[in-house]
Amino acid sequence: METRDEITSGPAGSSAAERATAPARWLLDAAADGVALTQTHALARVVVREAAQRWPDWWDAELFGPPHREADLAVLAELHQCLKRLRLVRRRGRRLYSTVRGKELSGDPEALLAVLAEDLGGGEEFIEAIAAEVVDLLEVADSVTWKELDAGALLGVTREGWRLADGQPLGDRDAGWAVGEVLRRGEAYGLIERHPDSESPRRLGSRIALSEGGRLALDANRPGTPGVPASAGLGALVFDSELVGAPGIGARLAVGEGQHLTDLHHVIQAAFGWDDDHLYSFWLDGAFWGEPSTEFTTPQTPDEGRPTADVPLAELDLSVGREIAYVFDFGDEWRVLLRLAATEPVDEGEYPRVLQLRGTPPPQYPDLDED
């Protein structure tokens, strides 16, 4: 795990951690002297109503009136159960108390944020896989709808080989409940936010995004992803990219040598505004659909024996001037030609990152109503 100093970046990182962990710290602080519980060991009504006032997005009081029980606030119920599982609080009779570790972490938002970020999947193997897919999808987009997140997570875990116990493929509902659990936990931990969707009828829908604290903590907890410094002793690779078939459209990208081809894939996605919902491949010979021995493809693809893009760039022995062909979405076949423009020492910025954009990329999915 990365250290706390790697997760935060001065006052800005500290304030992001404070905002993200506000609900958890509120409950931990309240439990320092004991929080009242009901006969069923749920949080007492007075506690539930205080939470609804502090975080009105958790409960529509204008529509439903004040909440009556913990179950009314799904995010609060998730927070309560997760803090117990993490042993940051414990029950004694009909009161909830912070543990020694809970009290320590309540006074250290950065350390608490790191602990919560590690627990997004809750320790269950399938939920962990879903959580990883959710984070991947949210990292490359400003925001997504629940439907987009659900579909993307299902596609991702299916590619990784997840099946039902009887060997049948997963259905929509098989991933949907897990996505919902990850989102509730992410909101409870301050890692994920919901915003009204202006394009939804009567703004009843919502768009889902990583919070500022979520981007800091989740990036730092996952090696080889945006936000993580390049490996010590290694430099950065600067690529010029050109969107083939779209004159004047391109980007200049920087990736740490210790990071992977998957990270180069993610920064290409960010540069051209694509949703990470299709297969992709790199050809190190610089030819599209070139020599099979030079192809590095989407990790966990069904084809066995093929090198995947989950390989550090430092192992590829790339030299300045080297061209790499990249194809995303084997149906629509978006082609990007990459050329290694320079190698340079790493700086204090995040890797990978987009250094420069040229032109406005065409939409990934053109409007079908257009002529």
Side-chain angles (χ1 to χ4, degrees):
M1 176 182 161
E2 303 295 328
T3 66
R4 183 179 60 202
D5 290 339
E6 290 170 327
I7 291 177
T8 62
S9 178
S14 178
S15 62
E18 290 171 359
R19 289 192 297 273
T21 60
R25 288 186 294 109
W26 163 76
L27 189 54
L28 289 172
D29 290 344
D33 297 321
V35 169
L37 300 173
T38 67
Q39 290 183 341
T40 59
H41 304 148
L43 294 171
R45 181 179 299 177
V46 64
V47 183
V48 172
R49 290 187 172 179
E50 181 180 346
Q53 290 177 342
R54 287 175 176 267
W55 294 281
D57 288 345
W58 291 2
W59 176 257
D60 191 340
E62 183 177 347
L63 182 61
F64 300 110
H68 297 287
R69 54 191 179 275
E70 179 185 296
D72 290 338
L73 273 65
V75 177
L76 177 62
E78 187 73 25
L79 179 63
H80 177 194
Q81 295 305 314
C82 288
L83 293 184
K84 282 201 302 185
R85 180 170 44 76
L86 291 171
R87 299 184 179 179
L88 302 184
V89 295
R90 61 185 177 85
R91 181 178 62 83
R92 187 188 305 161
R94 287 182 56 181
R95 295 189 72 81
L96 187 73
Y97 291 92
S98 299
T99 63
V100 172
R101 184 165 181 254
K103 292 176 181 178
E104 292 175 348
L105 289 176
S106 70
D108 193 339
E110 294 88 350
L112 177 58
L113 182 61
V115 170
L116 299 180
E118 282 192 332
D119 188 57
L120 186 60
E124 298 181 33
E125 190 175 4
F126 180 65
I127 309 298
E128 292 284 358
I130 288 288
E133 296 296 334
V134 166
V135 172
D136 283 344
L137 291 163
L138 292 178
E139 278 185 333
V140 299
D142 291 334
S143 66
V144 297
T145 64
W146 181 304
K147 182 178 180 180
E148 292 168 340
L149 201 59
D150 201 2
L154 175 62
L155 180 63
V157 294
T158 299
R159 286 175 183 162
E160 291 181 3
W162 284 92
R163 296 288 188 275
L164 297 177
D166 60 3
Q168 295 298 310
L170 298 173
D172 294 342
R173 294 182 179 180
D174 299 312
W177 68 269
V179 171
E181 182 173 328
V182 170
L183 292 183
R184 284 194 302 274
R185 188 173 297 132
E187 288 185 82
Y189 288 171
L191 304 170
I192 291 173
E193 301 174 333
R194 293 175 188 260
H195 306 284
D197 187 352
S198 60
E199 298 182 2
S200 174
R202 298 169 58 187
R203 296 174 66 86
L204 295 178
S206 61
R207 297 192 68 84
I208 301 161
L210 290 178
S211 68
E212 182 183 3
R215 288 192 178 276
L216 288 168
L218 292 167
D219 287 346
N221 278 348
R222 298 166 66 244
T225 55
V228 181
S231 301
L234 297 176
L237 302 179
V238 178
F239 291 91
D240 278 329
S241 65
E242 171 191 349
L243 183 58
V244 177
I249 306 301
R252 194 169 176 89
L253 315 169
V255 186
E257 283 187 293
Q259 295 179 309
H260 293 201
L261 275 173
T262 51
D263 297 289
L264 180 56
H265 158 73
H266 286 308
V267 77
I268 294 171
Q269 297 280 299
F272 295 109
W274 294 332
D275 293 329
D276 190 9
D277 54 359
H278 295 286
L279 300 177
Y280 64 91
S281 280
F282 294 91
W283 283 269
L284 300 190
D285 63 359
F288 296 102
W289 306 102
E291 177 59 39
S293 64
T294 72
E295 180 183 4
F296 288 77
T297 192
T298 313
Q300 283 80 47
T301 54
D303 299 326
E304 297 181 359
R306 297 168 59 193
T308 78
D310 189 18
V311 58
L313 291 166
E315 296 183 6
L316 300 179
D317 194 27
L318 303 177
S319 57
V320 173
R322 179 72 169 271
E323 290 188 341
I324 299 175
Y326 167 86
V327 173
F328 169 66
D329 184 349
F330 296 162
D332 288 339
E333 197 170 310
W334 292 99
R335 296 187 176 195
V336 176
L337 183 63
L338 300 146
R339 184 179 66 83
L340 181 56
T343 60
E344 57 186 33
V346 297
D347 57 29
E348 296 299 322
E350 296 180 348
Y351 292 90
R353 67 177 186 263
V354 179
L355 299 177
Q356 181 185 34
L357 291 173
R358 300 189 301 276
T360 301
Q364 180 178 355
Y365 300 112
D367 189 340
L368 295 179
D369 293 332
E370 292 181 355
D371 293 330

Short mmCIF file of all heavy atoms in Angstrom, two decimals, residues 85 118-128 181 185:
data_model
loop_
_atom_site.label_atom_id
_atom_site.label_comp_id
_atom_site.label_asym_id
_atom_site.label_seq_id
_atom_site.Cartn_x
_atom_site.Cartn_y
_atom_site.Cartn_z
N ARG A 85 -17.31 -3.77 10.61
CA ARG A 85 -16.49 -4.82 10.00
C ARG A 85 -15.02 -4.46 10.04
O ARG A 85 -14.16 -5.35 10.20
CB ARG A 85 -16.96 -5.06 8.56
CG ARG A 85 -16.18 -6.13 7.82
CD ARG A 85 -16.84 -6.51 6.52
NE ARG A 85 -17.29 -5.35 5.77
CZ ARG A 85 -16.47 -4.54 5.08
NH1 ARG A 85 -15.17 -4.78 5.10
NH2 ARG A 85 -16.94 -3.51 4.42
N GLU A 118 -9.16 1.19 0.65
CA GLU A 118 -8.77 -0.21 0.50
C GLU A 118 -9.97 -1.14 0.66
O GLU A 118 -9.93 -2.29 0.23
CB GLU A 118 -7.70 -0.59 1.53
CG GLU A 118 -6.31 -0.12 1.18
CD GLU A 118 -5.26 -0.78 2.07
OE1 GLU A 118 -5.62 -1.13 3.21
OE2 GLU A 118 -4.12 -0.94 1.62
N ASP A 119 -11.03 -0.64 1.27
CA ASP A 119 -12.16 -1.50 1.62
C ASP A 119 -13.34 -1.31 0.67
O ASP A 119 -14.43 -1.78 0.95
CB ASP A 119 -12.61 -1.18 3.06
CG ASP A 119 -13.66 -2.15 3.57
OD1 ASP A 119 -13.39 -3.37 3.58
OD2 ASP A 119 -14.76 -1.70 3.93
N LEU A 120 -13.15 -0.67 -0.47
CA LEU A 120 -14.28 -0.41 -1.36
C LEU A 120 -14.96 -1.70 -1.78
O LEU A 120 -16.18 -1.75 -1.95
CB LEU A 120 -13.82 0.37 -2.59
CG LEU A 120 -14.92 0.85 -3.54
CD1 LEU A 120 -15.90 1.77 -2.83
CD2 LEU A 120 -14.31 1.56 -4.75
N GLY A 121 -14.21 -2.77 -1.96
CA GLY A 121 -14.79 -4.06 -2.35
C GLY A 121 -15.24 -4.90 -1.18
O GLY A 121 -15.83 -5.98 -1.38
N GLY A 122 -14.97 -4.45 0.04
CA GLY A 122 -15.45 -5.16 1.22
C GLY A 122 -14.80 -6.50 1.50
O GLY A 122 -15.25 -7.25 2.37
N GLY A 123 -13.74 -6.85 0.77
CA GLY A 123 -13.03 -8.09 1.03
C GLY A 123 -13.62 -9.32 0.38
O GLY A 123 -13.05 -10.41 0.49
N GLU A 124 -14.76 -9.19 -0.32
CA GLU A 124 -15.35 -10.33 -1.02
C GLU A 124 -14.83 -10.34 -2.45
O GLU A 124 -14.86 -9.31 -3.14
CB GLU A 124 -16.88 -10.24 -1.01
CG GLU A 124 -17.48 -10.27 0.38
CD GLU A 124 -18.99 -10.19 0.35
OE1 GLU A 124 -19.58 -10.71 -0.62
OE2 GLU A 124 -19.57 -9.58 1.27
N GLU A 125 -14.40 -11.51 -2.92
CA GLU A 125 -13.67 -11.58 -4.18
C GLU A 125 -14.44 -11.00 -5.35
O GLU A 125 -13.91 -10.21 -6.15
CB GLU A 125 -13.27 -13.03 -4.47
CG GLU A 125 -12.30 -13.17 -5.63
CD GLU A 125 -11.83 -14.60 -5.83
OE1 GLU A 125 -12.32 -15.49 -5.12
OE2 GLU A 125 -10.97 -14.82 -6.72
N PHE A 126 -15.71 -11.37 -5.50
CA PHE A 126 -16.48 -10.87 -6.64
C PHE A 126 -16.74 -9.37 -6.50
O PHE A 126 -16.64 -8.62 -7.49
CB PHE A 126 -17.81 -11.63 -6.75
CG PHE A 126 -18.65 -11.16 -7.92
CD1 PHE A 126 -18.22 -11.34 -9.23
CD2 PHE A 126 -19.87 -10.54 -7.70
CE1 PHE A 126 -18.99 -10.90 -10.30
CE2 PHE A 126 -20.65 -10.11 -8.77
CZ PHE A 126 -20.21 -10.30 -10.07
N ILE A 127 -17.07 -8.92 -5.28
CA ILE A 127 -17.31 -7.49 -5.08
C ILE A 127 -16.03 -6.71 -5.33
O ILE A 127 -16.06 -5.60 -5.88
CB ILE A 127 -17.85 -7.21 -3.66
CG1 ILE A 127 -19.03 -8.11 -3.35
CG2 ILE A 127 -18.26 -5.75 -3.54
CD1 ILE A 127 -20.21 -7.89 -4.27
N GLU A 128 -14.89 -7.26 -4.94
CA GLU A 128 -13.61 -6.61 -5.21
C GLU A 128 -13.40 -6.45 -6.71
O GLU A 128 -12.93 -5.41 -7.18
CB GLU A 128 -12.45 -7.41 -4.60
CG GLU A 128 -12.41 -7.43 -3.08
CD GLU A 128 -11.89 -6.14 -2.48
OE1 GLU A 128 -11.52 -5.22 -3.25
OE2 GLU A 128 -11.86 -6.04 -1.25
N GLU A 181 -23.91 -2.26 -4.28
CA GLU A 181 -23.19 -2.33 -3.00
C GLU A 181 -21.94 -1.48 -3.02
O GLU A 181 -21.63 -0.77 -2.05
CB GLU A 181 -22.84 -3.79 -2.68
CG GLU A 181 -22.13 -3.97 -1.35
CD GLU A 181 -21.95 -5.42 -0.97
OE1 GLU A 181 -22.82 -6.24 -1.34
OE2 GLU A 181 -20.94 -5.73 -0.31
N ARG A 185 -21.25 1.83 -0.62
CA ARG A 185 -20.06 1.90 0.21
C ARG A 185 -19.19 3.08 -0.20
O ARG A 185 -18.62 3.78 0.65
CB ARG A 185 -19.27 0.58 0.11
CG ARG A 185 -18.11 0.48 1.10
CD ARG A 185 -17.49 -0.90 1.05
NE ARG A 185 -18.45 -1.90 1.47
CZ ARG A 185 -18.69 -3.03 0.82
NH1 ARG A 185 -18.05 -3.29 -0.31
NH2 ARG A 185 -19.57 -3.89 1.28
#
